[in-house]
């Protein structure tokens, strides 16, 4: 019997049980008046058949509770009246918990998958809360009888809370209420109505008892933080509210926000303001890519109606342009600008001496909180022979002034792909070597294949599935020796320069955090909680050094949470929101993504539908001779709710923002389709993708009737 049929059977049994309960007037037997009238008879039966009475009573109680039928309160009173205080409490406690667990399991089996899939975004935070604090939530609800227990059973079945935890917490949490009802049942003759059993003072007592675990948890957290800080001497006063270490994206935004709320803030940077993004990352790479793209346009002159085009350039001049671009943007991140904003900018190497003290240039400054935003650095793998040759990383490649004739790029991620294409277009013979089976490993196969085919057309040699063995130097001839993973065949690649683009490592050492006991994650980033708080309570971390995403825009996003929580966490803390994280690889064509792709959905076991729109059909793309690429939208089956979008094409990084907004605020494809887009623009591709989704879901049977009606009108 498959699961679908089994669900139907279970649902049918429940419906049948409910119908029989009311059609046979069994609910009339579970009233307060019926209980009082039959008290003596039940006591007589119990005296004559003790074990059988207990068994039947528990079975009925379990059924009533499992089916969420009315009468549990009367059953509890009956337990006290018949079995007495202690025996009744034990019997009812187990019967009610078993019945509640059966209701919980039934709800989980019949409805959880549907509800979780239907409302996945809205339930994400609730699920996370249940996973961390589920027992506390449940215990509180169980202790306060104003919450209907049958509702709690059904709702909890829709959450990720484990069955064993549900049973144990329910057993303990319902015990005070059970005791109150059993005690009332022992004095049934004096009780006028079931509603009068729980007085306002008693309910208030239960409520206080219910919030006690939360008070205990908060107090435990307080003690834990106090214990972590106890060995450090707290200054009587502070120089700053906040000291930020690192002037990259996260550090700059943190300082900006702190100064905007008039906090005393210092920003310490040992190198250059702007960090990697300005000096060695986003800005220089995009400037280089732009120059390279101009050359690619020249090579495509015939596509634009020109017979031929020749571009005379020097690589040195191109790299000097990159320098000029950096210097033009530098004022945005300069000491002068941030000083005017009210930030004390300190040039020097910070050393955290305690959670309250930082030493810079031989001077100690005090602060209430610290934000670590030290970023990351390129990872340099241990390759035999690497020490025999000069090598470049994404930090040092910008010092090049002579174009290498043969360039090897290690790593098929975003940095490796972008720089491979840029140098190839500038005239280098580029070989991209990657250990993974494909480049751009975070993307779907069709996306990676599309970009690899583009690289092949541009004469970039792509060696995926190759492991680096060593570097050999023979008579000034440099060779990278690789092993092909498929058959372990050795492959030699000659090169003049080698670029290492195999990932980045968080900068977590050298500034004193490790000496204070700041914990790290397995991947080397600083361990933080949802508030971006490290294991040292008043030290926070944001950006690449914290992860889990190493993007400039995520660093800026995290900075707000780190800053606000560091300054105002005593009153209210905010959990960092990673629900909708977009990114873009700036190859040509670009690859932009937000949300899940097919690989993610398959790995997570999430059902999805795919809508694909080819950009080669878009008028503006055709007019611009950029008619290549596609948009792939993943949606919830039979709904317009977006699970994720991947765009491959010109300006994909700009086009993706319509879908980022849609996912952030739960806007479906129907509303995108109904939004006017300017013609002719590349942005129309979003509406056409939504139109492709709609067209594939037009009800064919309904169209037949519409066709008949319109045909009839023509007669």
């Amino acid at each position: 019997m498959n699961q679908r049929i089994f669900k139907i059977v279970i649902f049918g049994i429940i419906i049948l049980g409910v119908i029989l309960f009311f059609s046979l007037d069994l609910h009339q037997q579970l009233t307060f008046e019926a209980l009082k009238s039959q008290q003596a008879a039940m006591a007589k039966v119990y005296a004559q058949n003790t074990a059988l009475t207990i068994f039947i009573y528990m079975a009925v109680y379990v059924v009533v509770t499992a089916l969420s039928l009315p009468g549990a309160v009367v059953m509890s009173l009956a337990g006290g009246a018949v079995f007495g205080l202690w025996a009744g409490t034990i019997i009812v406690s187990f019967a009610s918990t078993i019945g509640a667990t059966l209701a919980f399991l039934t709800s989980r089996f019949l409805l959880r998958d549907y509800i979780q899939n239907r409302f996945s975004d809205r339930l994400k935070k609730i699920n996370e809360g249940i996973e961390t604090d589920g027992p506390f939530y449940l215990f509180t609800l169980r202790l306060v009888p104003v919450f209907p227990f049958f509702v709690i059973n059904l709702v909890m079945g829709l959450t990720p809370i484990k069955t064993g935890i549900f049973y144990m917490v329910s057993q303990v949490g319902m015990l005070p209420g059970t005791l109150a009802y059993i005690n009332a049942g022992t004095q049934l003759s004096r009780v006028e109505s079931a509603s009068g059993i729980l007085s306002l003072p008693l309910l208030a007592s239960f409520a206080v008892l219910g919030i006690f675990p939360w008070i205990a948890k908060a107090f435990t957290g307080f003690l834990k933080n106090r214990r972590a800080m106890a060995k450090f001497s707290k200054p009587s006063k502070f120089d700053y509210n906040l000291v930020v270490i690192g002037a990259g994206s996260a550090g700059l935004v943190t300082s900006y926000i702190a100064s905007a709320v008039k906090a005393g803030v210092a920003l310490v940077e040992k190198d250059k303001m702007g960090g990697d993004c300005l000096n060695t990352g986003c800005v220089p790479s995009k400037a280089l890519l732009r120059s390279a793209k101009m050359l690619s346009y020249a090579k495509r002159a015939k596509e634009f109606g020109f017979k031929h085009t020749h571009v005379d350039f020097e690589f040195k001049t191109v790299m000097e342009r990159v320098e000029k671009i950096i210097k033009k943007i530098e004022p945005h991140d300069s000491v002068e600008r941030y000083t005017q904003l009210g930030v004390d900018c300190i040039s020097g190497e910070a050393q955290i001496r305690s959670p309250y003290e930082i030493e810079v240039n031989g001077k100690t400054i005090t602060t209430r909180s610290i934000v670590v935003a030290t970023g990351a650095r390129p990872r340099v793998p241990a390759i035999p022979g690497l020490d025999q040759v000069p090598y470049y990383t994404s930090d040092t490649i910008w010092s090049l002034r002579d174009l290498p004739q043969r360039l090897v790029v290690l790593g098929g991620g975003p940095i490796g792909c972008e720089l491979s294409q840029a140098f190839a277009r500038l005239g280098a013979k580029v070989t991209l070597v990657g250990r993974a089976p494909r480049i751009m490993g975070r993307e779907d196969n069709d996306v990676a294949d599309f970009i690899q085919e583009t690289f092949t057309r541009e004469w970039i040699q792509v060696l995926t599935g190759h492991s680096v063995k060593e570097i050999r130097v023979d008579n000034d001839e440099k060779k990278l020796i690789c092993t092909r993973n498929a058959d372990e065949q050795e492959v030699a690649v000659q090169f003049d320069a080698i670029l290492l683009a195999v990932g980045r490592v968080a900068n977590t050492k050298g500034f004193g955090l490790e000496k204070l006991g700041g914990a790290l994650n397995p991947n080397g980033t600083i361990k933080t909680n949802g508030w971006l708080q490290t294991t040292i309570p008043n030290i926070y971390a944001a950006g690449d050094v914290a992860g889990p995403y190493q993007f400039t825009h995520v660093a800026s996003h995290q900075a707000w949470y780190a800053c606000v929580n560091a300054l105002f966490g005593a009153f209210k803390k905010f959990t960092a929101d990673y629900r909708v994280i977009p990114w873009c690889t700036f190859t040509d064509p670009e690859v932009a993504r937000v949300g899940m792709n097919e690989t993610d959905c398959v790995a997570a076991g999430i059902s999805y539908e795919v809508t694909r729109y080819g950009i080669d059909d878009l008028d503006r793309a055709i007019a611009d001779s950029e008619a290549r690429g596609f948009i792939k939208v993943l949606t919830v089956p039979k709904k317009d709710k977006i699970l994720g979008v991947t765009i491959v094409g010109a300006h994909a990084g700009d086009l993706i923002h319509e879908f980022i907004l849609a996912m952030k605020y739960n806007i479906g494809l129907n509303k995108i389709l109904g939004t006017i887009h300017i013609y002719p623009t590349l942005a129309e591709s979003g509406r056409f993708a939504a139109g492709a989704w709609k067209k594939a879901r037009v009800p064919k049977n309904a169209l037949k009737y519409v066709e008949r009606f319109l045909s009839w009108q023509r007669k």
Side-chain angles (χ1 to χ4, degrees):
M1 185 182 296
N2 62 41
Q3 193 178 74
R4 181 185 178 91
I5 295 175
F6 192 47
K7 283 184 178 182
I8 294 172
V9 170
I10 294 294
F11 186 72
I13 291 173
I14 293 171
I15 295 299
L16 180 61
V18 173
I19 291 173
L20 289 174
F21 180 78
F22 287 101
S23 63
L24 297 176
D25 288 334
L26 296 178
H27 61 290
Q28 298 296 337
Q29 305 301 316
L30 295 177
T31 62
F32 185 75
E33 293 74 16
L35 173 61
K36 292 194 73 170
S37 66
Q38 297 174 15
Q39 180 183 3
M42 288 189 295
K44 184 178 180 180
V45 171
Y46 175 60
Q48 294 173 349
N49 299 283
T50 302
L52 182 61
T53 304
I54 293 174
F55 175 78
I56 294 174
Y57 172 85
M58 289 189 70
V60 173
Y61 202 123
V62 167
V63 171
V64 168
T65 311
L67 294 178
S68 302
L69 298 172
V73 171
V74 174
M75 290 287 294
S76 297
L77 291 172
V82 175
F83 306 125
L85 180 61
W86 299 115
T89 300
I90 294 171
I91 292 168
V92 171
S93 177
F94 280 98
S96 60
T97 306
I98 293 170
T101 305
L102 287 174
F104 164 89
L105 291 172
T106 302
S107 170
R108 171 163 291 184
F109 179 70
L110 294 178
L111 298 172
R112 185 174 68 168
D113 290 347
Y114 171 78
I115 295 296
Q116 288 289 344
N117 290 334
R118 177 70 175 80
F119 305 102
S120 56
D121 283 352
R122 299 177 191 178
L123 291 173
K124 188 173 182 180
K125 281 199 170 183
I126 295 175
N127 289 338
E128 290 173 355
I130 290 293
E131 287 176 357
T132 55
D133 296 316
F136 287 96
Y137 293 141
L138 179 58
F139 194 54
T140 300
L141 294 171
R142 289 302 195 199
L143 283 171
V144 186
V146 294
F147 298 108
F149 282 180
F150 79 93
V151 174
I152 298 170
N153 301 335
L154 300 179
V155 171
M156 280 292 170
L158 306 177
T159 71
I161 192 169
K162 294 181 179 178
T163 305
I165 292 175
F166 176 85
Y167 181 89
M168 289 186 290
V169 173
S170 296
Q171 183 96 53
V172 176
M174 290 192 293
L175 197 56
T178 299
L179 190 59
Y181 280 111
I182 295 298
N183 182 60
T186 61
Q187 304 175 46
L188 190 61
S189 59
R190 302 179 192 176
V191 180
E192 297 299 326
S193 69
S195 60
I197 296 170
L198 296 178
S199 63
L200 185 60
L202 188 58
L203 285 174
S205 300
F206 284 153
V208 171
L209 194 60
I211 64 172
F212 177 77
W214 297 96
I215 297 172
K217 184 182 179 184
F219 184 66
T220 300
F222 169 77
L223 290 179
K224 183 179 178 182
N225 289 347
R226 185 169 182 175
R227 186 164 56 250
M229 305 293 282
K231 57 185 176 182
F232 304 108
S233 177
K234 187 175 182 179
S236 57
K237 64 177 183 177
F238 299 92
D239 299 321
Y240 298 100
N241 298 98
L242 186 64
V243 171
V244 183
I245 302 175
S249 299
L252 290 171
V253 175
T254 299
S255 302
Y256 181 93
I257 295 170
S259 66
V261 297
K262 306 304 179 184
V265 55
L267 175 61
V268 183
E269 174 55 57
K270 69 177 182 179
D271 193 6
K272 297 178 180 178
M273 294 283 285
D276 293 334
C277 185
L278 172 63
N279 298 291
T280 62
C282 313
V283 171
S285 64
K286 302 313 164 279
L288 184 66
L289 288 169
R290 184 62 176 172
S291 294
K293 186 159 189 172
M294 293 300 99
L295 282 176
S296 76
Y297 277 137
K299 293 175 183 177
R300 296 167 54 197
K302 290 183 179 180
E303 293 182 39
F304 298 95
F306 304 105
K307 289 185 177 180
H308 58 81
T309 303
H310 174 71
V311 178
D312 188 18
F313 76 97
E314 291 184 359
F315 179 75
K316 178 182 176 181
T317 308
V318 172
M319 297 303 281
E320 287 173 351
R321 172 185 174 269
V322 172
E323 272 190 30
K324 291 177 183 177
I325 296 295
I326 294 172
K327 291 189 180 300
K328 193 168 185 178
I329 296 177
E330 268 181 356
H332 300 169
D333 300 340
S334 65
V335 170
E336 292 75 17
R337 183 193 177 206
Y338 275 80
T339 300
Q340 289 176 358
L341 291 171
V343 179
D344 285 351
C345 298
I346 304 173
S347 178
E349 190 165 345
Q351 288 292 321
I352 303 175
R353 300 304 183 191
S354 83
Y356 307 110
E357 298 173 317
I358 297 175
E359 183 181 322
V360 190
N361 302 328
K363 179 184 177 182
T364 299
I365 57 177
T366 58
T367 178
R368 279 193 169 274
S369 298
I370 299 169
V371 172
V372 175
T374 49
R377 65 188 183 279
R379 187 169 77 86
V380 178
I383 302 173
L386 183 63
D387 57 345
Q388 300 180 53
V389 298
Y391 61 86
Y392 297 95
T393 68
S394 57
D395 280 0
T396 60
I397 193 71
W398 313 109
S399 64
L400 267 179
R401 290 298 178 268
D402 295 317
L403 179 70
Q405 290 185 349
R406 298 168 299 181
L407 175 67
V408 165
V409 178
L410 293 187
I415 295 173
C417 287
E418 290 179 5
L419 293 181
S420 291
Q421 190 175 39
F423 276 92
R425 287 179 167 184
L426 289 165
K429 181 182 178 183
V430 176
T431 302
L432 189 156
V433 180
R435 184 172 57 183
R438 66 176 190 270
I439 60 172
M440 305 182 71
R442 299 178 69 172
E443 309 300 338
D444 283 334
N445 288 341
D446 55 346
V447 175
D449 291 344
F450 190 96
I451 299 301
Q452 184 163 334
E453 288 169 8
T454 301
F455 283 4
T456 301
R457 286 196 299 272
E458 296 188 16
W459 303 102
I460 299 171
Q461 184 180 18
V462 179
L463 300 178
T464 52
H466 283 66
S467 297
V468 175
K469 184 178 179 181
E470 63 177 327
I471 291 175
R472 295 176 189 166
V473 181
D474 298 318
N475 299 323
D476 294 330
E477 185 67 42
K478 308 180 190 75
K479 293 181 182 179
L480 177 71
I481 309 301
C482 306
T483 303
R484 194 158 55 197
N485 296 341
D487 53 15
E488 298 188 358
Q489 182 177 340
E490 196 172 275
V491 177
V493 182
Q494 294 181 334
F495 67 90
D496 300 306
I498 185 168
L499 169 64
L500 307 180
V502 290
R504 296 177 65 79
V505 180
N507 294 320
T508 60
K509 296 180 180 180
F511 53 89
L513 182 66
E514 69 275 16
K515 294 179 181 178
L516 298 184
L520 302 181
N521 292 311
N523 66 356
T525 57
I526 295 176
K527 187 175 184 178
T528 60
N529 58 22
W531 306 319
L532 296 175
Q533 189 178 39
T534 70
T535 50
I536 302 167
N538 74 323
I539 300 180
Y540 294 75
D544 289 0
V545 75
Y549 302 94
Q550 292 188 333
F551 302 125
T552 297
H553 47 280
V554 175
S556 301
H557 177 71
Q558 287 179 322
W560 185 91
Y561 293 94
C563 181
V564 171
N565 289 334
L567 294 175
F568 307 110
F571 305 101
K572 168 71 176 175
K573 286 188 174 74
F574 297 87
T575 302
D577 181 6
Y578 301 120
R579 288 178 302 155
V580 183
I581 300 293
W583 62 81
C584 182
T585 301
F586 293 92
T587 49
D588 181 19
E590 296 175 0
V591 177
R593 178 150 76 91
V594 61
M596 307 185 82
N597 62 9
E598 291 190 74
T599 305
D600 295 336
C601 287
V602 171
I606 295 175
S607 299
Y608 65 94
E609 293 178 344
V610 179
T611 299
R612 190 180 178 104
Y613 171 72
I615 293 175
D616 57 345
D617 187 57
L618 186 66
D619 290 0
R620 180 55 186 268
I622 295 170
D624 288 351
S625 290
E626 296 289 0
R628 53 182 176 153
F630 55 87
I631 296 180
K632 185 165 63 170
V633 183
L634 272 58
T635 51
V636 174
K638 299 181 181 180
K639 298 186 181 299
D640 72 339
K641 182 178 179 59
I642 303 169
L643 292 172
V645 179
T646 300
I647 302 179
V648 181
H651 300 286
D654 298 312
L655 301 178
I656 197 75
H657 286 85
E658 180 171 35
F659 294 103
I660 298 171
L661 183 70
M663 289 189 66
K664 176 74 173 177
Y665 296 103
N666 294 311
I667 297 171
L669 290 178
N670 279 314
K671 290 187 178 179
I672 292 178
L673 179 60
T675 301
I676 298 173
H677 292 63
I678 295 173
Y679 177 88
T681 60
L682 295 177
E684 279 191 297
S685 59
R687 183 170 68 87
F688 287 131
W693 171 85
K694 191 73 172 180
K695 183 178 180 181
R697 287 152 185 83
V698 172
K700 295 180 180 179
N701 291 333
L703 276 179
K704 290 180 181 179
Y705 290 108
V706 171
E707 183 182 10
R708 290 177 185 176
F709 171 73
L710 294 175
S711 177
W712 172 78
Q713 280 194 321
R714 295 195 300 269
K715 294 179 180 178

